[in-house]
Amino acid sequence: MAAPVIETCHVACCANRTPNVVSWGRGGIIAFGTCTSVALYDPQERRVVAVLNGHTGRVNTVQWVHRDDCAPESHLVSGGSDNRLIVWECRNGKFVQVAECKGHTGPVCAVDAIYVEDSEILVASSASDSTVRLWLCNQAVGAQCLHTVSFGSSFVMDVSLALLPGSRVPILACGGDDAQVHLYVQSNGGQLHKAKSLQGHEDWIRGVAWASLDVSSVFAVSLETVLAGHEHWVYGVHWQPALYKGGELQQPLGLLSASMDKTMIIWAPEEGSGVWVEQVRVGEVGGNTLGFYGCQMSPDGSMIVAHAFHGALHLWCKEQDKEGQWRPGVVISGHFNAVQDLSWDPEGEFILSVGSDQTTRLFTPWRNQDTRQATWHEISRPQIHGYDMQCLATVGRFQFVSGADEKVLRVFQAPRNFVENFANISGTSREKLFASSDSANLPEGASTPALGLSNKAVFQGDLAPKNKEEEGQFSSVSDQYQESYFHPLIMTEPPPEDHLLQNTLWPEVQKLYGHGFEMFCLASDSARTVVASACKASKAEHAAVLLWSTASWRQLQTLPCHTLTVTQMAFSPDAQLLLAVSRDRTVSLWRRNPLTPNSPDPLFSLHAHTGKDTAIHSRIIWSCDWSPDSKYFVTSSRDKKVIVWAPHRLEESRDSVLPPEIKPCSSILDVGDSATAVAFCPFLCSNNSYLLAVGLECGRILLYKWSPVREPAGGHDWSSCGETDILQSHALTVKRLRWRPRPGRVGHENNRPGGQDGGEGEAEEKDSWVQLASASADHSVKIFNVNRRAL
């Protein structure tokens, strides 16, 4: 079989902000809803093994269909804000959609499912249309609705299905806003009959779950115990999964609960008295987050996971040799809203991304001692902001500029604590990293004032404990209320969520003022001397590009040309030309002026631009990029067209009387959907053709080879060489594509001491692979390995 062209290397994502959206299967896989997709995450391998795209609205609830024999599941049910339920089945290692339940008239909020026959699945669902529905799914007829229970003006928050012990009679428990648990039993005709309402709660019931213990033929319901221990709403309850011991199925009496008080508790009855008591409590204290929305326990009871208001997963592992001790574990993380932009660092060792969740995040591979393969993780959250983030540009190894829905640009520099931890986690030489930054003056870390937006640097002196005599004597009001929440941590593995929130911020070193509206795009040149920025604009006066010096952070120039928002910019790899594309459907090209003693700053002048009459794109131009040799640039537009252009070189146009023109030098490529992102691979293909990636509004990513030919009109200059399949594609618009600036795969190169060459293996790695990172409105960042030899 031919090697695949595109492999998914990493998916960074997080759980949706709904209570029933995480389910831990007996096969060890955690399924969770992320935006409109279902992610399947393996906590042992620490990576997303599959993403299931099928819903058109947010996924609100996910549930594995557990087998009686505790074998790994082959069916999964998901429900979403598109009012639908989807039943997924694993076939030959891949999940496919086998049934769709349509009938609810509001978003589905809870689901549970059991097997009634070998291949028949009984599904119960509740939705915000105030109904609970019972469905029967089989391969012959798909899904049919057996019964609908209407709750009038009430809402059911959670449902739990089980078979009465020793029988095949399904029983359904529903908990909702009337503070009662309603029990329904299914009769022969498939109808549900109400058996009992259980009273006792005093507020909304957010979670219900069955545990089957013994065989009986007469059933009664009685109150077992009231567990009081949480200080806020309890959002999720989960029984420890049943397991086989000595050939017998046993149900351990352990109950996990998760609360908005930011803690999870494991409850169990005491051996002697049988009284239910709190065994273990884990969670975070303090911090600026809201609490937990749900909880799950691993099949063997050795790990527990909670998902929080901001989508983050929190994992704890039982210490093997210490009874009752649990420690935080390494787990996946990602943005909880649309990812707007991303950038590789100049060395290609980590990725920075910004999103509408008001955060900037940094991802890098971690090679754990226990595993051979490196896995990607978020190891820092340099910026947690009060505005939605829109764009960023790296301006050095550990420095970047970011723009948000505000008029200010902010410049950040990595603190000493980050550089040390990055060296530990990535295996890079610490001396080499500190050599690339002014280590003597680096602050230890950063913290954000309680009501501020700027990250303040925290230096070594700020961390020193005050003398005993000085306690009680405050020189100023600010001394009484210390705002330095930062504590330096030496990390050898990726940090958990509470550390990311509090201890991994980068200090803000500069603010750049000059724009009149919210920031939209940024670009930096390869020489790291200039940053270009543009903001939202509906008039020509606001659509100008501003240039900033990275040496002084002064504004160097205003470049007026466009009449509407500049949507993207790119400097040519040789740093001589700046390209800008706009909502006004035109392209402008700016040339770097020769440096003179009177003008030592890098300044640019207009070289060429397309006008209304010469513009080929008929809709907004979304994206642009340069070929690695700076000879060509590419544009992509909402009109589904991708075009390669040739700027007339400087020497050609210098003596010319006529102003230089920008002309297309490729045939027009129609990609069939709005082309929202485009990127030239920095390395040429074997036959000196260029490799391009095109991101579409539907979420797919296409790879094309383009060869310059004399007569491009026939379309023979383009050849399709790969695209993401349904499991690899994003579920929503691709916002940004960026190729890694170096060949090979991060984490696969041998990090040898003293910079020794890795020999043949490393050369083959560089020849065979390039990496592509993508950001999408579906909340995810994906990294793909592209096999150059299979192109």
Side-chain angles (χ1 to χ4, degrees):
M1 227 174 100
V5 174
I6 303 174
E7 293 177 358
T8 306
C9 164
H10 176 63
V11 181
C13 56
C14 73
N16 286 334
R17 193 180 286 181
T18 54
N20 304 305
V21 79
V22 178
S23 181
W24 201 327
R26 299 270 164 75
I29 301 294
I30 299 175
F32 62 89
T34 175
C35 194
T36 62
S37 308
V38 177
L40 303 182
Y41 175 72
D42 187 332
Q44 301 291 346
E45 291 187 20
R46 300 191 177 97
R47 66 186 190 92
V48 171
V49 291
V51 178
L52 313 181
N53 296 327
H55 286 281
T56 54
R58 182 182 70 176
V59 174
N60 299 325
T61 175
V62 172
Q63 182 61 53
W64 287 104
V65 187
H66 299 307
R67 294 174 177 274
D68 292 343
D69 59 0
C70 298
E73 296 87 349
S74 56
H75 287 94
L76 177 72
V77 186
S78 59
S81 291
D82 53 6
N83 307 352
R84 297 184 305 150
L85 291 140
I86 295 177
V87 181
W88 308 86
E89 184 183 12
C90 184
R91 291 179 183 166
N92 304 323
K94 288 194 173 180
F95 277 82
V96 292
Q97 193 173 316
V98 290
E100 193 177 312
C101 307
K102 285 182 174 175
H104 280 295
T105 56
V108 179
C109 62
V111 69
D112 199 11
I114 54 172
Y115 290 104
V116 282
E117 298 298 336
D118 287 343
S119 60
E120 287 195 331
I121 299 170
L122 196 65
V123 177
S125 60
S126 70
S128 58
D129 59 10
S130 297
T131 67
V132 169
R133 290 175 183 253
L134 195 66
W135 314 79
L136 188 65
C137 303
N138 59 30
Q139 288 181 343
V141 294
Q144 60 180 118
C145 183
L146 298 178
H147 192 64
T148 303
V149 182
S150 177
F151 282 81
S153 59
S154 293
F155 290 103
V156 170
M157 313 288 189
D158 199 12
V159 291
S160 182
L161 260 180
L163 293 173
L164 287 171
S167 76
R168 304 299 296 171
V169 177
I171 183 166
L172 172 67
C174 306
D177 62 358
D178 61 357
Q180 297 182 51
V181 178
H182 303 285
L183 301 184
Y184 291 86
V185 177
Q186 189 190 10
S187 65
N188 293 335
Q191 303 284 311
L192 289 171
H193 293 288
K194 190 166 184 180
K196 193 90 178 146
S197 289
L198 310 179
Q199 297 179 350
H201 285 284
E202 294 171 4
D203 211 330
W204 293 5
I205 296 170
R206 302 295 324 214
V208 289
W210 286 106
S212 294
L213 294 173
D214 49 5
V215 177
S216 171
S217 57
V218 178
F219 299 96
V221 179
S222 61
L223 177 65
E224 164 89 2
T225 187
V226 176
L227 306 179
H230 286 293
E231 294 169 11
H232 211 304
W233 296 347
V234 179
Y235 262 91
V237 287
H238 184 239
W239 288 99
Q240 183 171 342
L243 61 146
Y244 269 96
K245 268 192 181 170
E248 249 178 53
L249 186 64
Q250 294 187 1
Q251 169 69 60
L253 276 182
L255 182 68
L256 180 66
S257 61
S259 164
M260 269 289 156
D261 66 7
K262 303 182 197 174
T263 65
M264 281 200 294
I265 298 176
I266 298 176
W267 311 83
E270 275 187 327
E271 279 187 22
S273 65
V275 175
W276 284 77
V277 292
E278 178 183 314
Q279 301 269 330
V280 176
R281 184 188 289 250
V282 296
E284 53 178 293
V285 180
N288 57 352
T289 58
L290 289 158
F292 296 145
Y293 254 168
C295 55
Q296 292 279 295
M297 193 180 281
S298 67
D300 61 358
S302 67
M303 290 187 278
I304 51 177
V305 71
H307 62 104
F309 180 76
H310 283 159
L313 296 176
H314 298 249
L315 182 79
W316 283 270
C317 309
K318 191 188 280 185
E319 294 275 23
Q320 296 296 328
D321 44 357
K322 296 176 188 166
E323 186 64 35
Q325 293 283 317
W326 294 71
R327 60 176 174 79
V330 177
V331 72
I332 191 176
S333 66
H335 291 275
F336 59 87
N337 211 330
V339 189
Q340 299 291 353
D341 200 1
L342 55 76
S343 177
W344 291 86
D345 85 289
E347 297 292 315
E349 288 187 353
F350 60 81
I351 279 176
L352 281 161
S353 61
V354 295
S356 302
D357 62 355
Q358 308 188 343
T359 65
T360 303
R361 299 174 187 242
L362 188 148
F363 300 92
T364 196
W366 169 53
R367 182 173 279 154
N368 185 8
Q369 309 304 326
D370 313 336
T371 55
R372 285 179 294 119
Q373 202 173 0
T375 52
W376 282 78
H377 297 277
E378 182 184 355
I379 65 162
S380 177
R381 204 164 293 168
Q383 187 183 6
I384 299 171
H385 205 42
Y387 291 96
D388 290 4
M389 305 299 303
Q390 291 297 338
C391 49
L392 90 158
T394 48
V395 285
R397 188 70 207 276
F398 294 123
Q399 196 174 39
F400 70 90
V401 187
S402 71
D405 279 347
E406 56 175 345
K407 301 172 187 177
V408 189
L409 288 164
R410 297 170 188 267
V411 186
F412 295 86
Q413 185 160 9
R416 176 189 295 274
N417 191 239
F418 167 79
V419 180
E420 289 176 347
N421 289 329
F422 176 70
N424 293 344
I425 290 167
S426 67
T428 316
S429 151
R430 186 173 306 187
E431 292 71 27
K432 190 174 135 193
L433 292 177
F434 277 116
S436 66
S437 54
D438 181 12
S439 59
N441 299 319
L442 283 183
E444 282 299 308
S447 66
T448 307
L451 297 175
L453 289 172
S454 304
N455 295 353
K456 292 196 316 192
V458 177
F459 289 91
Q460 190 68 44
D462 303 332
L463 300 167
K466 297 266 194 290
N467 293 335
K468 292 274 189 224
E469 300 89 60
E470 289 179 19
E471 283 184 14
Q473 301 173 4
F474 299 110
S475 57
S476 69
V477 173
S478 61
D479 279 357
Q480 294 179 48
Y481 304 101
Q482 287 290 315
E483 292 191 320
S484 171
Y485 294 123
F486 167 77
H487 301 289
L489 295 169
I490 298 303
M491 296 183 297
T492 53
E493 63 178 32
E497 179 73 8
D498 44 335
H499 288 323
L500 282 170
L501 284 169
Q502 198 163 300
N503 295 317
T504 65
L505 290 170
W506 290 17
E508 189 180 299
V509 293
Q510 202 73 39
K511 286 186 188 68
L512 310 180
Y513 297 94
H515 285 288
F517 285 93
E518 298 95 331
M519 298 313 310
F520 200 82
C521 63
L522 279 164
S524 60
D525 67 338
S526 56
R528 312 288 167 196
T529 57
V530 185
V531 169
S533 62
C535 70
K536 289 180 183 174
S538 54
K539 292 181 185 167
E541 61 189 286
H542 300 298
V545 172
L546 300 190
L547 293 187
W548 310 84
S549 159
T550 60
S552 61
W553 292 118
R554 282 189 311 110
Q555 186 180 320
L556 295 173
Q557 255 183 308
T558 302
L559 308 180
C561 177
H562 294 283
T563 55
L564 294 172
T565 308
V566 171
T567 52
Q568 208 166 88
M569 298 175 291
F571 284 92
S572 59
D574 62 9
Q576 294 305 303
L577 292 165
L578 169 64
L579 167 67
V581 296
S582 165
R583 194 176 277 275
D584 65 13
R585 308 169 189 178
T586 65
V587 175
S588 63
L589 206 54
W590 305 82
R591 180 180 69 211
R592 188 187 285 255
N593 299 339
L595 293 178
T596 63
N598 298 334
S599 171
D601 286 323
L603 298 176
F604 284 70
S605 53
L606 186 61
H607 176 61
H609 67 92
T610 59
K612 287 275 164 69
D613 48 342
T614 53
I616 297 175
H617 287 297
S618 59
R619 305 292 298 275
I620 177 174
I621 305 175
W622 277 125
S623 185
C624 62
D625 198 21
W626 284 93
S627 64
D629 51 14
S630 304
K631 286 183 183 175
Y632 306 99
F633 65 85
V634 63
T635 57
S636 74
S637 161
R638 183 181 280 164
D639 64 9
K640 308 178 184 177
K641 297 187 180 96
V642 175
I643 304 171
V644 179
W645 310 73
H648 282 275
R649 300 310 296 160
L650 312 184
E651 40 297 349
E652 293 170 22
S653 59
R654 216 167 257 163
D655 306 327
S656 169
V657 181
L658 295 168
E661 286 183 292
I662 306 172
K663 290 184 176 174
C665 54
S666 74
S667 59
I668 295 172
L669 174 66
D670 190 324
V671 291
D673 192 16
S674 175
T676 51
V678 69
F680 261 114
C681 180
F683 315 103
L684 293 176
C685 296
S686 51
N687 54 355
N688 281 342
S689 59
Y690 298 89
L691 177 62
L692 284 101
V694 182
L696 306 182
E697 194 169 39
C698 65
R700 278 192 308 146
I701 297 169
L702 315 176
L703 294 183
Y704 288 94
K705 276 189 198 170
W706 177 73
S707 305
V709 292
R710 285 183 183 276
E711 295 293 329
H716 303 303
D717 50 341
W718 292 101
S719 64
S720 171
C721 53
E723 65 176 76
T724 52
D725 63 27
I726 182 73
L727 293 172
Q728 294 173 314
S729 298
H730 287 284
L732 297 174
T733 306
V734 178
K735 289 283 191 177
R736 187 67 144 154
L737 291 172
R738 297 265 201 170
W739 292 92
R740 185 181 179 226
R742 286 166 56 179
R745 294 169 292 180
V746 202
H748 286 258
E749 292 106 341
N750 297 327
N751 290 319
R752 290 168 182 261
Q756 298 167 15
D757 187 33
E760 281 182 31
E762 196 156 318
E764 186 180 337
E765 170 70 30
K766 288 182 176 176
D767 282 347
S768 301
W769 299 98
V770 282
Q771 284 186 305
L772 175 68
S774 63
S776 169
D778 70 1
H779 310 184
S780 71
V781 171
K782 294 190 179 188
I783 299 162
F784 300 100
N785 299 329
V786 177
N787 188 339
R788 293 166 79 182
R789 295 189 172 181
L791 288 171

